[in-house]
């Protein structure tokens, strides 16, 4: 894993902000949006019933192969992705972070895929804000099929077989600390919504913050953990409904310096 050169030791950002993509940056699941590009707007029962718990990446490989067989074009898929609206207030959040870019390093950590995420971020004109995108590889082959592959393998029992976001976070923090001459980030912020966003938050420290989408699985799981397993989750938790909630919290932190 490598970071871009403009965020090397000379930049020395104080804070790292990690974002999930589906239902966090964007207002729905990118996989659901792409389903609308399918001719029948729904998939056959044999396909939907092939899903196995913990193997969603494998299921989406089948979905994308089926869509290619049905003649769904690259242009149709891209149009579906580009048509997804951002979550309320998130473009304002990005504008705030851009205006304080000397302090914040931004990364995407998502179980979606590279084609969906890169397409959407570029369409919205915000791709340049992110140092790195960690997600499942995906690209079109010579037949016009979008081929999806797993990001990595791991041994975490909490996470789907193709991605543990805590492993990604720990490895990235270690890498960046070395690149920064041994200086860690002062604080780490994780913004997410889903069940698989809980695991990386267990790697956060007492000065860090987990921004969990209110009443979504990440929020509910961390709330339960705060009650029953306080030693496992050490970070602060701030529920969000819109990007404005996150901006307001970050402004307070900026005022502390």
């Amino acid at each position: 894993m490598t970071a871009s050169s403009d965020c090397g030791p000379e930049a020395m950002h104080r804070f790292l902000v990690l974002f999930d993509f589906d239902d966090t940056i964007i207002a729905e699941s990118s996989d659901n949006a792409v389903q609308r590009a399918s001719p029948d707007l729904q998939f056959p029962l044999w396909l939907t019933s092939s899903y196995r718990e913990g193997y969603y990446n494998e299921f989406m490989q089948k979905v994308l192969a089926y869509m290619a067989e049905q003649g769904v074009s690259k242009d149709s898929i891209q149009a579906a992705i580009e048509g997804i609206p951002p979550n309320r207030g998130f473009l304002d959040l990005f504008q705030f972070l851009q205006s304080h870019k000397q302090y914040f390093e931004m990364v995407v950590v998502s179980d979606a895929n590279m084609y969906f995420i890169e397409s959407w971020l570029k369409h919205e004109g915000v791709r340049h804000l992110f140092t790195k995108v960690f997600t499942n590889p995906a690209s079109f082959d010579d037949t016009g099929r979008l081929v999806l592959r797993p990001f990595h393998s791991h041994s975490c029992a909490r996470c789907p077989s193709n991605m543990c976001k805590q492993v990604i976070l720990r490895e990235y923090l270690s890498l960046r600390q070395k690149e920064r001459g041994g200086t860690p980030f002062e604080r780490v912020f994780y913004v997410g919504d889903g069940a698989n966003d809980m695991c990386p938050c267990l790697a956060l420290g007492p000065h860090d913050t987990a921004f969990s989408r209110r009443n979504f699985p990440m929020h509910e799981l961390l709330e339960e953990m705060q009650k029953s397993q306080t030693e496992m989750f050490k970070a602060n938790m701030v529920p969000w409904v819109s990007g404005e909630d996150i901006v307001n919290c970050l402004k307070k932190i900026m005022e502390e310096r």
Side-chain angles (χ1 to χ4, degrees):
M1 295 185 291
T2 57
S4 62
S5 59
D6 63 338
C7 288
E10 70 281 1
M12 292 299 284
H13 296 113
R14 295 176 58 203
F15 309 122
L16 175 65
V17 190
L18 303 107
F19 289 89
D20 175 48
F21 184 67
D22 288 343
D23 291 305
T24 297
I25 291 177
I26 60 174
E28 64 174 315
S29 162
S30 53
D31 292 337
N32 290 346
V34 164
Q35 182 172 336
R36 293 198 290 271
S38 185
D40 301 324
L41 296 180
Q42 60 184 6
F43 300 132
L45 181 61
W46 66 262
L47 178 58
T48 56
S49 62
S50 70
Y51 170 67
R52 298 188 296 152
E53 185 71 32
Y55 292 87
Y56 187 75
N57 183 267
E58 175 187 271
F59 172 69
M60 276 307 298
Q61 292 175 37
K62 297 176 185 176
V63 167
L64 293 170
Y66 171 79
M67 292 180 69
E69 291 167 4
Q70 298 303 304
V72 178
S73 68
K74 178 179 179 179
D75 288 346
S76 296
I77 291 174
Q78 185 162 342
I81 292 298
E82 291 178 352
I84 303 171
N87 244 323
R88 184 161 55 91
F90 265 69
L91 294 183
D92 291 336
L93 168 58
F94 292 158
Q95 187 173 20
F96 170 80
L97 292 169
Q98 167 74 5
S99 67
H100 297 90
K101 61 183 178 180
Q102 70 272 35
Y103 299 111
F104 293 98
E105 181 168 322
M106 298 164 60
V107 171
V108 173
V109 186
S110 168
D111 198 12
N113 68 72
M114 191 63 80
Y115 181 77
F116 290 179
I117 295 173
E118 289 277 357
S119 296
W120 192 91
L121 294 177
K122 289 175 182 176
H123 178 71
E124 293 293 336
V126 294
R127 175 61 184 89
H128 67 286
L129 299 180
F130 296 92
T131 303
K132 186 77 176 176
V133 174
F134 294 100
T135 189
N136 301 296
S139 57
F140 283 89
D141 65 12
D142 294 339
T143 69
R145 178 166 72 98
L146 182 58
V147 179
L148 175 66
R149 300 187 302 279
F151 179 78
H152 64 186
S153 59
H154 61 85
S155 58
C156 177
R158 295 187 195 92
C159 293
S161 62
N162 62 295
M163 177 174 286
C164 173
K165 295 184 177 185
Q166 183 178 158
V167 169
I168 294 170
L169 173 55
R170 288 187 182 278
E171 289 181 354
Y172 189 70
L173 288 174
S174 175
L175 171 70
R176 293 297 287 123
Q177 186 166 335
K178 289 176 184 175
E179 292 178 342
R180 290 157 57 91
T183 303
F185 291 101
E186 286 182 31
R187 297 191 186 191
V188 178
F189 306 103
Y190 189 98
V191 186
D193 73 285
N196 67 345
D197 294 313
M198 183 271 286
C199 192
C201 293
L202 304 185
L204 301 178
H207 296 294
D208 303 328
T209 302
F211 289 104
S212 55
R213 190 173 184 184
R214 186 179 293 279
N215 297 330
F216 275 65
M218 175 188 174
H219 180 211
E220 293 166 355
L221 288 166
L222 290 178
E223 258 194 339
E224 183 60 33
M225 189 163 282
Q226 282 181 325
K227 296 172 186 174
S228 60
Q229 297 173 288
T230 54
E231 74 285 352
M232 289 191 67
F233 178 55
K234 303 178 179 66
N236 306 293
M237 182 171 68
V238 176
W240 62 270
V241 175
S242 74
E244 184 180 1
D245 300 323
I246 301 169
V247 170
N248 290 338
C249 183
L250 293 177
K251 281 181 177 178
K252 291 178 183 176
I253 291 169
M254 293 289 291
E255 291 167 2
E256 293 173 7
R257 56 191 176 86

